[in-house]
Amino acid sequence: MGFQAGIVDREQITRYIQFLQRQGKIEAAQELNDILELQDEATELGAQSPHLLEWIEQLQPVLRAVDSWKNGRAREMLFTITWREYQQKQQRGVGV
């Protein structure tokens, strides 16, 4: 789906970013892009970032919602609700 066991599927995430951009979900697209950048930094250093692993775990529901929306199994509303829940957790300091 994009992230599994701390591994970033760059091609899939790039497709999600492009889909979100086309749908006007720029903030969510930027969040995924930030993860790709962090992954690049970790790769350059030859290590996996604990911060990245935690971030990936927290984004799993969002990625499932994007995947379902993109593939016609769900509507935009599922993504919107899931994205808002993710943002609220971030604001409360639960996440990254």
Side-chain angles (χ1 to χ4, degrees):
M1 174 193 345
F3 299 134
Q4 294 180 358
I7 298 169
V8 176
D9 179 344
R10 184 172 210 80
E11 290 180 27
Q12 184 66 39
I13 297 306
T14 299
R15 286 191 291 272
Y16 289 163
I17 291 168
Q18 292 167 346
F19 174 77
L20 289 168
Q21 289 171 333
R22 285 192 306 273
Q23 301 301 321
K25 306 298 183 186
I26 304 304
E27 187 177 3
Q30 184 59 51
E31 187 90 4
L32 295 182
N33 191 60
D34 290 348
I35 284 191
L36 291 181
E37 289 177 8
L38 187 58
Q39 176 67 27
D40 290 345
E41 290 174 18
T43 300
E44 287 176 18
L45 296 173
Q48 188 66 276
S49 165
H51 179 72
L52 177 63
L53 297 174
E54 183 179 341
W55 202 358
I56 290 169
E57 180 62 32
Q58 293 167 4
L59 272 168
Q60 288 297 324
V62 174
L63 293 173
R64 284 191 292 274
V66 172
D67 189 66
S68 293
W69 180 25
K70 182 178 180 293
N71 292 304
R73 294 187 308 271
R75 297 191 183 273
E76 179 181 357
M77 184 56 72
L78 174 64
F79 166 79
T80 301
I81 291 168
T82 307
W83 178 247
R84 285 185 189 151
E85 289 172 353
Y86 168 78
Q87 288 180 308
Q88 289 171 351
K89 288 179 184 176
Q90 298 305 303
Q91 290 172 355
R92 289 192 310 253
V94 171
V96 177

